[in-house]
Amino acid sequence: MTDSSETLSNLLHEQRRFEPPRDFTASANVGAATYEQSEADRLVFWAEQAQRLQWESPWSEVLQWRPPFAKWFVGGTLNASVNCVDRHVAAGHGEQVAIHFEGEPGDTRTITYAELLEQVCRAANALTELGIEKGDRVAIYLPMIPEAVVAMLACARIGAPHSVVFGGFSSQALYDRIVDAEAKLVITSDGGYRRGAPSALKPAVDEALAKGRTTVEHVLVVVRTGQEIDWVDGRDVRWAEALERQPAKHEAPAHDAEHPLYILYTSGTTGKPKGILHTTGGYLTQVSYTHHAVFDLKPDSDVYWCAADIGWVTGHSYIVYGPLSNRATVVMYEGTPDTPHRGRWWELIAKYRVSILYCAPTAIRTFMKWGSDIPAQHDLSSLRLLGSVGEPINPEAWIWYRKVIGGDRTPVVDTWWQTETGAIMISPLPGVTSTKPGSATRPLPGIGADVVDNEGRPVPNGGGGFLVLTEPWPSMLRGIWGDDARYTETYWSRFPEQGYYFAGDGAKKDEDGDLWLLGRVDDVMNVSGHRISTTEVESALVSHPRVAEAAVVGATDPTTGQAIVAFVILRGGGDSDEGELLVRQLRDHVATEIGPIAKPRQIMLVPELPKTRSGKIMRRLLRDVAENRQLGDVTTLADSSVMDLIQAKLPTAAAED
Ligand code: WTA
């Protein structure tokens, strides 16, 4: 571990610093003193944050910790839907816009908090009419349309945990999730708009339900595109009709703080997807607080856009529960960034005067690839804060994001968290933290995180190791649905003595103690005993002017343990004549940027990279290519033809010495 730590400290040589702008600090929601306050007494701190919510009855105990099982705000009761909607209307903000919806074809809807309340109430009544009771699970399989938000809040209102399944998942994946959660109802739509054309969703539900016996009694169908769909009488119900006949009011019951709010499936390294369980009081406390602190939301003036899909945890926490509990005006966009043109995001930012943007580094790198001239054609002056999430952000992308999108004036917050953590855990505070491109900096107030070695000992500054969470936190997963043993085994068995939560990520502490997330532990390579992050090599490659995007994997090597293999997309397309020369230059470039040990054994010039529908690069498949293996499962790829393209390119583009 010592060796690798030293290597890492040599590798990380990013020196640029960005102080928070003075005027930002002056009016920031959260100041530097918060860290001390939270350190003085963590539980008092979280109890204060919980007071930002409306509780129906008080808790008797802030935290009951029987490792690894936590209960927060024991005995307290509240309603998440009331916190996200009713209380804002009651406080006189009914006319404020809750959602600016933009459909891919350009249709728009503006929904005020008062209108959202009415929709949620009608939907809650409709769910009740369909026999959904407190505790029943509801699967939601919808495109990015406002009904998804309404459906989630209606479920929360009546205490029926939702299980949102990303609309890009197949019928098989949907079936597996419906079966595991034993869902009683599926909420879906006929389809949505994708890349300029209607795409279908309902057929996948029909297919899923035909795969075997399920507990589903009804399918509630939103009409979005008007396309022809099959209809099962008695089972299928139209959303609009079901809501129309309901009263516009619904008395929200209070739920226990530990009442399940939702299940969200996420893939583990092995086995079937895990149903991550989140409950009500602690989850809402932390998403609300982190949204307030990290995004500095000013409800009266900000327009906030989280460009994630509602099918992922980012959408749950930072499109729905965090922002709406803080009375944000949110932008919701149905489509892809390149439809009908590659300036669509920037057009939307100008149109709605978006002031806060939250997205993933993959998107940022894609925009870089498309060229800075595209955003330059739009008025982005409304932006005042930029956020990044989901994967390590390489310094090049961070700087591009700040400069080209943020006009070199906006703070950038790189936020680390997971489906399991429910809310942001490690991030700068935009009015407080001096940021470094590529570093998520430090744990938020009230959060305990550290980097430890194999034995669970904290590494000194300059050292690298495993990221762990050292204290329970309010929005922590309460378990894996129906599998307590797997919960304990996956997250709590790596460092049982210390009782740390094992995040599965590698990280480094720099000389200031700031944290650099290095990606999943399985994506950290070990070359001749040196620990090198795939991300770092990628970052080095991307800093070369000819490189648009890069993905690096560790391939098994008989001599060095692992060897670095890079897949590179060239800016402006590649030319096979220049291939060999360029590959040599790129290897040298990496050696110059990081050191000779990081020099890729092999660089393959490819036209595309394999990505999941959520935009994550599927390194597993690249590793298969790098190790000359037959390709593994390609069904989760957004575009399965990508692998054919890559393999077709290989014989001429690979170089080795
Ligand atoms: C990675 C997404 C580096 C990490 C919210 C984590 C990050 C996994 C960052 C969780 C970040 C997320 N820097 N890596 N800012 N944010 N990750 O469950 O490997 O989809 O374990 O949650 O994404 O992914 P998940």
Side-chain angles (χ1 to χ4, degrees):
M1 212 62 203
T2 322
D3 268 352
S4 55
S5 309
E6 278 166 12
T7 311
L8 277 168
S9 59
N10 293 336
L11 293 179
L12 282 153
H13 57 120
E14 175 58 49
Q15 294 297 330
R16 290 167 284 193
R17 298 278 182 284
F18 295 85
E19 299 304 324
R22 215 167 292 152
D23 55 337
F24 201 108
T25 301
S27 59
N29 284 352
V30 171
T34 320
Y35 288 108
E36 283 147 48
Q37 286 158 10
S38 69
E39 276 151 29
D41 191 327
R42 244 170 37 83
L43 296 186
V44 168
F45 170 80
W46 281 119
E48 276 167 17
Q49 305 320 316
Q51 296 293 359
R52 305 180 67 253
L53 304 176
Q54 177 179 315
W55 293 79
E56 304 309 326
S57 53
W59 57 85
S60 55
E61 203 181 344
V62 177
L63 169 66
Q64 194 187 87
W65 181 222
R66 304 211 167 101
F69 297 95
K71 288 184 177 166
W72 281 84
F73 309 112
V74 183
T77 64
L78 75 168
N79 187 294
S81 160
V82 167
N83 272 281
C84 289
V85 193
D86 305 47
R87 65 171 172 148
H88 307 319
V89 177
H93 301 290
E95 295 311 303
Q96 182 183 329
V97 174
I99 303 173
H100 284 297
F101 169 70
E102 179 95 11
E104 196 185 76
D107 57 317
T108 61
R109 277 153 74 186
T110 305
I111 300 167
T112 64
Y113 272 98
E115 288 163 346
L116 184 60
L117 176 60
E118 186 185 325
Q119 289 293 306
V120 171
C121 287
R122 286 181 187 275
N125 287 321
L127 294 181
T128 306
E129 189 185 83
L130 287 169
I132 303 302
E133 291 172 10
K134 180 168 177 163
D136 289 342
R137 274 81 61 204
V138 175
I140 298 178
Y141 186 64
L142 281 170
M144 280 288 289
I145 55 176
E147 284 82 357
V149 180
V150 173
M152 289 164 78
L153 292 173
C155 287
R157 195 170 184 94
I158 64 172
H162 52 71
S163 168
V164 181
V165 179
F166 175 54
F169 274 129
S170 64
S171 58
Q172 182 64 46
L174 176 63
Y175 172 76
D176 293 341
R177 286 157 175 75
I178 287 172
V179 168
D180 190 78
E182 297 180 280
K184 203 165 162 187
L185 173 74
V186 181
I187 305 179
T188 188
S189 73
D190 52 355
Y193 291 94
R194 208 77 191 149
R195 299 191 191 281
S199 69
L201 270 185
K202 171 77 163 42
V205 178
D206 294 336
E207 259 176 59
L209 297 182
K211 282 184 194 296
R213 270 184 72 87
T214 70
T215 40
V216 171
E217 291 172 6
H218 290 286
V219 177
L220 195 50
V221 185
V222 177
V223 175
R224 165 71 183 133
T225 64
Q227 63 196 289
E228 285 260 321
I229 45 173
D230 289 341
W231 200 257
V232 179
D233 284 326
R235 186 196 73 181
D236 298 351
V237 180
R238 279 193 181 74
W239 168 273
E241 286 167 18
L243 265 67
E244 220 163 75
R245 57 175 178 257
Q246 305 301 329
K249 286 202 167 25
H250 175 270
E251 184 126 5
H255 300 298
D256 191 90
E258 284 299 334
H259 185 69
L261 180 62
Y262 67 80
I263 303 165
L264 183 58
Y265 286 84
T266 185
S267 34
T269 40
T270 53
K272 58 176 186 152
K274 302 171 283 194
I276 303 300
L277 174 67
H278 284 291
T279 60
T280 308
Y283 173 80
L284 203 61
T285 295
Q286 194 173 330
V287 294
S288 186
Y289 169 69
T290 52
H291 183 263
H292 166 80
V294 174
F295 297 111
D296 194 53
L297 184 93
K298 310 285 195 260
D300 294 327
S301 53
D302 276 319
V303 177
Y304 165 89
W305 183 18
C306 166
D309 191 282
I310 229 149
W312 310 114
V313 76
T314 306
H316 283 59
S317 298
Y318 297 104
I319 295 176
V320 184
Y321 291 109
L324 297 182
S325 67
N326 288 332
R327 188 171 48 90
T329 294
V330 308
V331 169
M332 191 175 179
Y333 172 53
E334 179 187 26
T336 56
D338 55 355
T339 308
H341 57 78
R342 290 178 166 183
R344 189 67 191 274
W345 275 31
W346 321 122
E347 188 178 79
L348 291 179
I349 287 174
K351 174 176 175 183
Y352 293 108
R353 303 292 298 156
V354 171
S355 52
I356 303 167
L357 175 66
Y358 192 31
C359 69
T362 296
I364 299 165
R365 287 192 292 266
T366 302
F367 296 131
M368 285 174 78
K369 190 165 73 180
W370 292 347
S372 308
D373 51 320
I374 297 175
Q377 289 158 18
H378 300 272
D379 176 9
L380 305 181
S381 62
S382 53
L383 287 170
R384 67 179 194 92
L385 180 62
L386 301 175
S388 170
V389 61
E391 43 179 331
I393 181 165
N394 49 301
E396 290 311 305
W398 195 104
I399 294 280
W400 187 90
Y401 195 28
R402 183 185 153 104
K403 288 218 161 112
V404 177
I405 305 306
D408 216 2
R409 62 175 194 278
T410 58
V412 173
V413 287
D414 174 14
T415 63
W416 180 90
W417 57 295
Q418 308 176 300
T419 305
E420 292 87 340
T421 70
I424 300 172
M425 303 294 281
I426 303 172
S427 166
L429 287 175
V432 177
T433 317
S434 160
T435 52
K436 305 167 184 172
S439 169
T441 70
R442 55 187 290 197
L444 286 176
I447 298 301
D450 209 337
V451 181
V452 300
D453 66 16
N454 238 336
E455 278 71 53
R457 290 178 302 236
V459 301
N461 285 356
F466 302 106
L467 179 73
V468 293
L469 301 170
T470 57
E471 303 282 351
W473 63 101
S475 64
M476 66 190 279
L477 75 165
R478 297 304 195 263
I480 294 175
W481 184 253
D483 202 343
D484 281 351
R486 192 176 178 196
Y487 165 68
T488 306
E489 162 66 25
T490 308
Y491 304 106
W492 302 94
S493 66
R494 184 69 177 77
F495 302 109
E497 230 167 87
Q498 295 84 354
Y500 291 155
Y501 169 90
F502 176 62
D505 277 37
K508 180 197 182 277
K509 275 190 243 178
D510 68 15
E511 296 303 333
D512 305 322
D514 278 334
L515 300 175
W516 298 70
L517 281 311
L518 301 173
R520 301 295 303 182
V521 183
D522 30 13
D523 288 336
V524 176
M525 301 170 289
N526 192 320
V527 183
S528 308
H530 299 293
R531 200 173 281 246
I532 304 164
S533 155
T534 51
T535 317
E536 258 179 314
V537 181
E538 286 167 7
S539 179
L541 284 165
V542 170
S543 73
H544 188 281
R546 285 300 312 278
V547 175
E549 232 182 311
V552 168
V553 297
T556 308
D557 185 280
T559 317
T560 57
Q562 277 189 316
I564 304 171
V565 178
F567 295 79
V568 164
I569 306 180
L570 294 179
R571 251 179 231 278
D575 169 355
S576 53
D577 286 340
E578 61 165 343
E580 277 197 28
L581 177 66
L582 195 59
V583 162
R584 210 167 305 133
Q585 284 173 356
L586 291 178
R587 296 181 70 235
D588 291 342
H589 179 70
V590 174
T592 316
E593 284 288 299
I594 303 176
I597 55 146
K599 210 170 170 176
R601 179 185 76 184
Q602 215 175 355
I603 294 181
M604 307 193 186
L605 304 181
V606 293
E608 284 293 342
L609 290 171
K611 287 180 185 162
T612 63
R613 295 183 186 94
S614 66
K616 284 199 174 148
I617 292 173
M618 289 195 71
R619 289 202 172 70
R620 178 171 59 74
L621 292 178
L622 293 177
R623 230 172 275 132
D624 290 348
V625 173
E627 298 178 358
N628 281 322
R629 258 201 313 269
Q630 197 167 3
L631 287 186
D633 184 9
V634 295
T635 52
T636 49
L637 279 180
D639 176 1
S640 55
S641 65
V642 165
M643 291 314 295
D644 297 335
L645 279 175
I646 291 176
Q647 288 191 306
K649 275 279 183 181
L650 291 184
T652 50
E656 208 174 329
D657 66 354

